[in-house]
Amino acid sequence: MHLQEKPEQINFDGILCLIGGFGKFQKVLFVWICLPQIFLAFHMLVSVFTGAVPPHLCCSSWPSAGAPASSDFNLSRLAATDGRPDLSCTVPLNHSDAVALGDGHPAGSCQGGWQYSTETFQSTTVTEWDLVCDSASLNNMASSMYMFGLLVGAVVYGSLADKYGRRIIILINLAVQAVFGVGAAFAPNFYVYIALRFVVGTTISGVIMNAFVLGTEWTGSKQRMLAGIITDYFFGFGYILLAGVAYLIRDWRKLQLAISAPGFLFIFYIWVLPKSARWLMANDRKEEAWELIRKAAQMNGRPLSKDLATRQVHNVEEKAGVKKKHSFLDLVRTPKMRKHSLIVFYLWFANMLVYYGLSLNISDFGMNIYLTQMIFGLVEMPARTITLFTLNRSRKLSQLAFLAVGGTACLLTIFIPSELSVVKTVLAMIGKFGITASLSIIYVYSAEVFPTVIRQNGIGIGSMCARTGGVLAPMLYLLKGISPQAPMVLCGLCPLLGSALTLLLPETANMPLPDTIEDVEGSNLSEEGDSRL
């Protein structure tokens, strides 16, 4: 399947074995890769707090015009859950008594503005720009635009990184993220705010994908899974930490500034972040690659022998003899690549759809929002941890099993009566556990399924499919109009289908990374390729 002639001694994985697949060089590299992950989690999840909708009351709805706004009054007025209209968006047309609303008196839309409870939040984008009632959909639009930014970033930066290298794209994205993130804290109006958040969204994809790939390409096959899992740990840590930061900073502008401004500290990455020697080799920049490999070998205390360098260079030239440019089409041009690519793309989509679908669904605990956020962060940790023990044995079986656990738990919730809310919540948490573990694995697995020449393109489109799932996740709620169980049925069936499709993927645990499409297709590539032209 992989290189038939002299594979062990001359491919890049062989070099990593000799210089140390996870020595001091790689450990230092992982520190640089993991630190931004904390801030990526902040940006990804901060809208839970900055875009929160506090209890609110139409100003004209007060029993008497001069009544002071009391939080208790707000909350009690808005607690109507029996289907009667509340006072947050309407005002009784006979002003004698606001409480009479819903007892047969006509109601008009709110004209006098809103009074917001400051019990939990000092200010949010919703309270600043009145994104409630008729304008409530604008708040959803902000989330969709941000997710769309993630999607655009996945496409644009995946292809740019294959062309210009991982390092430069990471540096550009970190800089743009800091500038536009701080800019969002000073946005003069809502539309400028969502435009700035859109740009931040594009940079999130650029950093997540390329930092992960840079780590993967420098790590030996036995320790390669660490590239995905360790970065996920730091993302999970950011998830939990955000609950504390948001708890201390209740004003949305100050919170946005607090999570963005530290991004400027990453300027020192210009001097410490290395390029990918594997990418340099694949792009015929051998001198630069060997300089980096020698530096890594020295740092790991495993200096290189002279003859190794000449054999590797010879091999790269041999493989690049018929060098051609690769594009997105190469992912689906040949039969095995087509099958692998389409399945991996579906797995990305299903994982993210269900991950966000569940996160939105189980957030309705009626618990303190900061505590809820922390619990969501904590449930991710055991999910990341368990993959450390299963991944080395088998990528394929790990992916398959966690998708099955996540899907089955979600499906089981539909058979639990609503009175048993604790059982339902526990099942939903098990579902989130399975999907979180599966999401950790797909990062590692997809990087190993795609060959080096189109790896970034593959992960870019995969990430794009994932973001499409993220954009569609809030729309799962629309299905409640058809049936209250419909969202959870989908959250169950999508992972189960993914679990079945995983059976068709190759096992990649402890195998050398494929470098070319020929490595994936085998020796019959030329005939099969010609017959399809």
Side-chain angles (χ1 to χ4, degrees):
M1 185 126 182
H2 296 283
L3 283 175
Q4 302 300 305
E5 65 284 343
K6 303 186 268 183
E8 278 76 38
Q9 298 127 318
I10 55 177
N11 66 14
F12 196 83
D13 283 296
I15 290 179
L16 285 175
C17 283
L18 291 167
I19 69 168
F22 201 68
K24 187 182 173 189
F25 177 84
Q26 285 89 346
K27 285 169 187 164
V28 170
L29 170 63
F30 267 87
V31 171
W32 307 140
I33 287 173
C34 289
L35 285 176
Q37 299 290 328
I38 297 170
F39 294 95
L40 297 183
F42 286 178
H43 285 293
M44 284 289 284
L45 301 159
V46 73
S47 61
V48 168
F49 303 102
T50 56
V53 184
H56 50 283
L57 203 57
C58 182
C59 283
S60 319
S61 308
W62 295 106
S64 60
S70 120
S71 287
D72 290 340
F73 182 77
N74 275 8
L75 294 166
S76 64
R77 297 289 352 111
L78 297 169
T81 53
D82 56 358
R84 300 193 319 168
D86 59 43
L87 297 177
S88 59
C89 293
T90 52
V91 55
L93 292 183
N94 71 326
H95 288 267
S96 59
D97 188 7
V99 182
L101 185 68
D103 295 337
H105 297 292
S109 63
C110 184
Q111 303 295 326
W114 288 267
Q115 179 73 41
Y116 297 94
S117 164
T118 53
E119 191 180 23
T120 309
F121 303 101
Q122 201 178 317
S123 78
T124 69
T125 54
V126 172
T127 65
E128 178 145 343
W129 292 307
D130 286 334
L131 307 178
V132 290
C133 304
D134 294 341
S135 301
S137 59
L138 290 176
N139 198 25
N140 298 335
M141 186 178 84
S143 301
S144 294
M145 280 299 288
Y146 174 75
M147 292 301 283
F148 185 60
L150 290 166
L151 197 154
V152 170
V155 181
V156 172
Y157 294 120
S159 127
L160 284 177
D162 269 347
K163 194 171 181 184
Y164 299 107
R166 296 29 167 150
R167 177 183 178 271
I168 187 71
I169 300 300
I170 293 171
L171 294 175
I172 290 168
N173 277 294
L174 285 171
V176 171
Q177 194 177 103
V179 171
F180 282 77
V182 168
F186 297 98
N189 61 57
F190 178 67
Y191 296 100
V192 170
Y193 170 74
I194 59 172
L196 293 169
R197 282 278 292 161
F198 168 82
V199 176
V200 170
T202 64
T203 68
I204 296 289
S205 284
V207 176
I208 283 180
M209 285 190 313
N210 292 302
F212 165 72
V213 169
L214 184 61
T216 303
E217 293 188 338
W218 265 114
T219 310
S221 60
K222 278 190 166 60
Q223 304 90 352
R224 204 182 294 138
M225 63 167 187
L226 288 164
I229 310 303
I230 293 177
T231 52
D232 279 341
Y233 263 125
F234 276 78
F235 189 88
F237 178 63
Y239 204 130
I240 297 164
L241 197 60
L242 178 63
V245 175
Y247 180 79
L248 295 171
I249 305 172
R250 306 291 181 103
D251 178 277
W252 81 266
R253 287 186 186 272
K254 288 175 187 165
L255 180 58
Q256 179 66 33
L257 188 61
I259 64 161
S260 305
F264 287 109
L265 297 175
F266 290 122
I267 191 163
F268 77 93
Y269 273 33
I270 294 169
W271 296 282
V272 300
L273 199 68
K275 293 177 180 173
S276 165
R278 192 188 288 267
W279 179 85
L280 290 168
M281 285 282 187
N283 284 271
D284 285 341
R285 288 162 64 177
K286 291 178 281 292
E287 290 80 9
E288 281 183 78
W290 277 110
E291 197 181 321
L292 273 170
I293 290 165
R294 274 190 287 274
K295 183 186 166 190
Q298 200 175 354
M299 205 165 170
N300 288 348
R302 313 260 293 264
L304 285 179
S305 60
K306 293 278 182 194
D307 63 317
L308 177 74
T310 53
R311 276 190 303 180
Q312 171 66 16
V313 170
H314 174 68
N315 180 56
V316 169
E317 283 169 351
E318 202 171 63
K319 286 179 79 171
V322 250
K323 180 144 178 80
K324 60 189 183 95
K325 291 287 176 195
H326 292 279
S327 71
F328 292 115
L329 291 175
D330 290 308
L331 290 164
V332 291
R333 190 171 277 141
T334 54
K336 277 189 187 171
M337 276 308 309
R338 181 163 51 245
K339 181 176 74 174
H340 296 172
S341 299
L342 293 176
I343 293 172
V344 166
F345 295 158
Y346 173 75
L347 291 179
W348 277 95
F349 170 81
N351 270 295
M352 202 61 89
L353 176 76
V354 180
Y355 181 82
Y356 278 106
L358 283 179
S359 294
L360 294 168
N361 227 1
I362 60 176
S363 63
D364 196 14
F365 277 151
M367 283 166 57
N368 177 295
I369 190 169
Y370 303 102
L371 189 60
T372 306
Q373 172 77 8
M374 204 170 105
I375 290 169
F376 284 177
L378 287 171
V379 89
E380 304 225 335
M381 292 316 208
R384 313 285 190 203
T385 307
I386 199 167
T387 55
L388 287 171
F389 299 101
T390 64
L391 265 182
N392 259 348
R393 289 178 176 80
S394 169
R395 314 288 203 245
K396 185 173 175 173
L397 290 177
S398 299
Q399 185 80 69
L400 187 152
F402 286 119
L403 280 169
V405 167
T408 307
C410 291
L411 271 185
L412 286 175
T413 60
I414 68 175
F415 301 109
I416 308 295
S418 50
E419 308 88 71
L420 298 173
S421 57
V422 174
V423 180
K424 268 198 154 172
T425 302
V426 168
L427 280 172
M429 287 301 235
I430 293 169
K432 187 168 189 283
F433 173 88
I435 292 301
T436 302
S438 170
L439 199 54
S440 290
I441 295 163
I442 192 63
Y443 268 101
V444 179
Y445 202 5
S446 58
E448 296 175 342
V449 167
F450 298 120
T452 303
V453 288
I454 49 170
R455 181 168 299 124
Q456 204 61 36
N457 273 332
I459 289 179
I461 297 184
S463 193
M464 184 180 78
C465 294
R467 301 309 166 201
T468 307
V471 171
L472 293 177
M475 296 182 191
L476 284 176
Y477 285 114
L478 302 178
L479 298 173
K480 283 191 171 174
I482 303 164
S483 157
Q485 312 289 12
M488 289 310 275
V489 170
L490 254 186
C491 283
L493 292 179
C494 287
L496 288 174
L497 173 59
S499 184
L501 289 172
T502 305
L503 288 167
L504 302 173
L505 288 176
E507 179 57 77
T508 60
N510 303 320
M511 305 279 282
L513 283 181
D515 283 323
T516 64
I517 294 168
E518 287 81 357
D519 290 350
V520 174
E521 293 292 337
S523 55
N524 58 349
L525 171 68
S526 47
E527 305 98 68
E528 289 188 3
D530 292 341
S531 67
R532 281 169 173 74
L533 290 175

